Amino acid sequence: MLHYILQTIAFQLFFLLVFDLFLKHETFFNWNRFYLLFTPIASLILPVIKINSFKQLVPQSYVIQLPEVILNPDANTLQTQLLPTVYLKNSTSFWSWETILYLGVVVAAVIFLVKIYRLIKTIVNSYKNEENGLTIVTIKNSTTAFSFFNYVFLGDCIPKHTYATILSHESVHIKQKHSIDLLLFELLRILFWFNPLVYMYQNRMVTLHEYIADALVVKHQDKTTYYQNLLSQVFDVNHISFINPFFKQSLIKKRIIMLTKSKSKQIHLLKYALLVPMVCSMLLYTSCDKEADNSESTEMKTSEEQLQEKIDKLMEENPNVKIEISDVESTSDVDVEVPYSVVEHPPVFSGCEDVPTAEQKNCFSGKISQFVGQNFNTDLATTLGLSGRQRISVLFKIDKSGDIKDVKARAPHPELEAEAIRVINKLPKMQPGKQKGKEVTVPYVLPIVFEVQE
């Protein structure tokens, strides 16, 4: 979930930067409205879309990434998941980040319901009348002016000469269903209460709504008079995020500037075509992305490049030997590494020999997971005073004799690296991988996450 949240925030940040740099000052208000509605939703959907054809455009890594292992030292059972990370938990705690996340959602939902209650209470307790198909709610002793769906809230202290202008303005909000836009962002604010970009999106949408309403109203009345109406009011606006306020001091200057701005040239519509390459790039990223420790595997060269280098080296040392990627030939004294995606017969863990070929991969992964779970010293959490998630990535190879070699680890703490190396070095002898009937070396990467909960 954390990986998904980070991707969502990154995509929204990128979309907002593009809007502020290229689109915000254009007078294509309806296009901007579509952009501000589409991009936050796209940011939520794109991380879960995986397109296989996109993945094939990017060469596969040279090593095979093993499934994750979830270890709970407080329990006697081992949990194994087909995910690219190993989790080691030394204890359980109510105050995990997931709990705080869900608690924040509940609080945000309660705040939203309180706002709705206040709005409904205002409607019920105020004088109401129908005018041009709208429900006018009169608020006593106030200069407030805002709308919510089919309701227009107007203070009884608003000057009579501005009444018609304000009503026309709020009518635009109602006819164009602007309240639906703002309620969408309210929902996002509840689910992603911790994400400041959602609030920024909503603020930009509120401003855009005012631009749209202003632009349509001034078509039927004098602009100068409209400016004076904006500037002469005593600003009194309820601080409710999902209403469309007429008087909002922070927006007055922006609205007047936009009203005096010349219409954008039609050629500038091409800016919105930026959405196509942006979305395609994000789809390419999410289709090829692996949540756990892709950094280690991406540091390596692609399987074709890595294998080709070894083949070139072997050909220099053995000019009479013909070697091809698809037809690896080797002598007993030549050690050739073959990536998991290429090797015809991958290594077999002890005990998986009699398992059907189609199930040997799962058997291998399960045995590795079980071994790590039984041998990793989870007491290191207490000894080292660790907290939170400690990510470890282990690289190792199963050589042509079936032995483990070249074990390397990367972790935030040296003792975690040493423990991971110790455990992997204890793996039993296996049946080596074979290519064209010859034993070969096969590399692997095993990510581990040591989750310490107090």
Side-chain angles (χ1 to χ4, degrees), residues 344-394:
E344 294 175 346
H345 302 285
V348 179
F349 202 101
S350 178
C352 296
E353 297 88 351
D354 299 328
V355 175
T357 303
E359 299 178 11
Q360 283 191 354
K361 178 180 179 181
N362 291 335
C363 181
F364 181 92
S365 300
K367 292 287 186 179
I368 291 284
S369 299
Q370 184 180 26
F371 187 89
V372 173
Q374 292 174 347
N375 289 274
F376 200 99
N377 178 19
T378 54
D379 291 336
L380 280 175
T382 303
T383 304
L384 302 176
L386 301 175
S387 62
R389 290 192 173 191
Q390 309 294 321
R391 189 170 292 273
I392 311 166
S393 188
V394 187

Side-chain angles (χ1 to χ4, degrees), residues 25-29 215-216 218-219 223 257-269:
H25 301 294
E26 300 295 341
T27 59
F28 303 121
F29 301 135
L216 292 177
V218 296
K219 288 182 178 180
K223 281 188 178 183
I257 291 175
M258 188 59 71
L259 279 169
T260 59
K261 186 178 179 65
S262 301
K263 287 187 177 181
S264 300
K265 297 179 180 179
Q266 292 298 308
I267 190 66
H268 292 173
L269 280 170

Side-chain angles (χ1 to χ4, degrees), residues 228-273:
Q228 291 174 348
N229 288 336
L230 286 177
L231 293 172
S232 63
Q233 303 304 319
V234 176
F235 306 118
D236 179 18
V237 182
N238 288 339
H239 296 290
I240 302 178
S241 53
F242 52 84
I243 62 174
N244 290 111
F246 183 80
F247 302 129
K248 190 171 183 180
Q249 190 169 9
S250 61
L251 284 181
I252 298 298
K253 181 178 179 180
K254 293 179 181 179
R255 290 167 63 182
I256 292 177
I257 291 175
M258 188 59 71
L259 279 169
T260 59
K261 186 178 179 65
S262 301
K263 287 187 177 181
S264 300
K265 297 179 180 179
Q266 292 298 308
I267 190 66
H268 292 173
L269 280 170
L270 292 176
K271 292 181 179 181
Y272 296 93

Side-chain angles (χ1 to χ4, degrees), residues 25-123:
H25 301 294
E26 300 295 341
T27 59
F28 303 121
F29 301 135
N30 288 327
W31 278 96
N32 279 351
R33 183 185 180 189
F34 167 78
Y35 184 95
L36 290 177
L37 288 174
F38 172 78
T39 53
I41 296 175
S43 299
L44 301 179
I45 298 174
L46 288 172
V48 299
I49 297 178
K50 309 293 181 184
I51 301 179
N52 291 331
S53 57
F54 280 7
K55 186 180 295 187
Q56 294 170 1
L57 296 175
V58 181
Q60 299 296 312
S61 60
Y62 181 66
V63 295
I64 177 67
Q65 183 162 293
L66 295 174
E68 71 179 358
V69 181
I70 300 179
L71 307 177
N72 190 339
D74 291 336
N76 294 323
T77 59
L78 172 71
Q79 298 177 332
T80 303
Q81 294 184 358
L82 292 176
L83 296 173
T85 310
V86 175
Y87 288 98
L88 306 172
K89 296 183 180 180
N90 72 318
S91 63
T92 58
S93 172
F94 175 79
W95 291 108
S96 63
W97 70 268
E98 292 96 339
T99 304
I100 296 174
L101 176 65
Y102 296 136
L103 184 60
V105 170
V106 173
V107 172
V110 170
I111 293 174
F112 172 73
L113 293 176
V114 170
K115 293 178 181 178
I116 291 290
Y117 170 77
R118 289 172 53 193
L119 201 59
I120 294 175
K121 185 178 178 180
T122 301
I123 295 173

